[in-house]
Amino acid sequence: MSTPLLLAQLLDDAAVFPPGSATLSDAVAAHREHRRAWYAQLVGPLLVPASQLPDLGPLLAEGEDLAVGVIADGPAADCFATPPAGVRTVQVEAAMARRGEDPSPAVHDFLHRVRDSGVRGYAEIPLAWGLLAALDVLAQARATGLPVSAKFRTGGLAAELFPTPMELAAVIIACHERELPFKLTAGLHHAIRHTDPETGFTHHGFLNVLAAACAAAEGVEVTEVAGLLATTQPLTLIEAVRSRRTHQRPLWVGFGTCSIPEPLADLQKLGLLDGRA
């Protein structure tokens, strides 16, 4: 069955990353199944750490073509290494700085490498000092035709790594104002905003983000965007996105998830995706 355009390639397959932490072999096998499944259009590339990129070669069948996103787990330059036969690097992602550090030097270096390689790049910018200046640089580079976008972290192992609804809304609005697409990573485990009973951390919902991105693209105020990010009412979010199902997703490229079945099940339960269980 066809995936609504609004949801196409929403989920990058991050099975090898925590908390899933699948082996590379298991992740490749599962990704093959996702690519053959009825929901295949929902799934983006397999995400792999740069250090494991060479290990993919022996796992592929003869003639197989595997699209991957390479995530820096060392120097950003490692993301741009030549992949083994049968592997296509379709995007690279790298953190530009720690919180409190100036991301500008790393951003400029990253842009040079994206320009030389021609591969789509996502620069992960901390939601802290230097953010807006870095977004300006990315937007300027994108305006020249460079295939680069922003990436933000929406969770982690500490409470301060989870931005508030207003903080995330301000970032989404900032990207809209700069016509700069963005990716998100970490913490988006379910469709609706919720509190994890084990950690006590309140996680953003990916449906909240989808509704917020759609609203921001239509020019609504930051407080309304924050309200969509903060709500825990499924009907509010379903109503906000249902009429847009046949439209291309604005601003938000998508997010990496270590479990494709979890968001898939949420979308089916909410009536936003039809198909076999």
Side-chain angles (χ1 to χ4, degrees):
M1 295 187 180
S2 178
T3 296
L5 186 58
L6 185 68
L7 302 176
Q9 294 193 310
L10 177 66
L11 311 176
D12 282 357
D13 187 353
V16 301
F17 292 89
S21 303
T23 66
L24 191 62
S25 177
D26 286 347
V28 169
H31 189 73
R32 288 193 190 102
E33 295 302 314
H34 296 321
R35 301 309 309 171
R36 289 193 288 261
W38 63 267
Y39 55 84
Q41 293 174 330
L42 185 69
V43 182
L46 178 67
L47 302 183
V48 297
S51 62
Q52 294 187 35
L53 184 62
D55 301 329
L56 284 171
L59 301 177
L60 302 187
E62 184 176 355
E64 186 170 2
D65 177 53
L66 179 66
V68 301
V70 182
I71 313 298
D73 56 346
D78 294 349
C79 293
F80 298 91
T82 301
V87 178
R88 286 184 298 116
T89 299
V90 296
Q91 64 195 50
V92 297
E93 307 178 21
M96 299 293 101
R98 296 184 178 89
R99 288 174 65 89
E101 296 179 344
D102 182 6
S104 295
V107 168
H108 287 289
D109 179 71
F110 188 69
L111 292 178
H112 285 303
R113 295 184 185 280
V114 169
R115 183 174 290 108
D116 290 343
S117 69
V119 177
R120 185 165 67 247
Y122 293 95
E124 183 182 322
I125 311 296
L127 302 184
W129 178 78
L131 168 65
L132 295 182
L135 295 184
D136 286 338
V137 172
L138 291 176
Q140 291 164 8
R142 186 174 178 84
T144 69
L146 201 65
V148 67
S149 301
K151 177 182 174 182
F152 307 112
R153 191 161 292 271
T154 51
L157 300 178
E160 62 266 23
L161 297 178
F162 291 78
T164 67
M166 185 58 75
E167 288 171 335
L168 186 53
V171 169
I172 292 174
I173 293 290
C175 287
H176 166 63
E177 292 173 344
R178 291 163 175 77
E179 299 182 351
L180 181 66
F182 65 91
K183 272 195 72 175
L184 298 178
T185 186
L188 295 173
H189 296 165
H190 290 287
I192 309 297
R193 182 174 176 83
H194 65 282
T195 298
D196 187 317
E198 294 185 6
T199 65
F201 298 155
T202 300
H203 291 245
H204 289 284
F206 66 81
L207 187 59
N208 296 74
V209 176
L210 181 57
C214 289
E218 293 176 357
V220 306
E221 296 295 327
V222 66
T223 53
E224 185 176 341
V225 175
L228 289 168
L229 291 170
T231 186
T232 58
Q233 299 301 315
L235 286 179
T236 299
L237 298 172
I238 291 170
E239 291 173 1
V241 303
R242 189 183 294 278
S243 63
R244 301 177 172 97
R245 292 180 71 199
T246 59
H247 300 164
Q248 191 167 12
R249 189 167 58 254
L251 289 176
W252 188 30
V253 178
F255 67 104
T257 174
C258 66
S259 172
I260 298 295
E262 284 185 355
L264 174 65
D266 278 6
L267 288 168
Q268 289 183 280
K269 185 186 301 182
L270 293 168
L272 294 172
L273 188 67
D274 299 324
R276 298 181 295 274

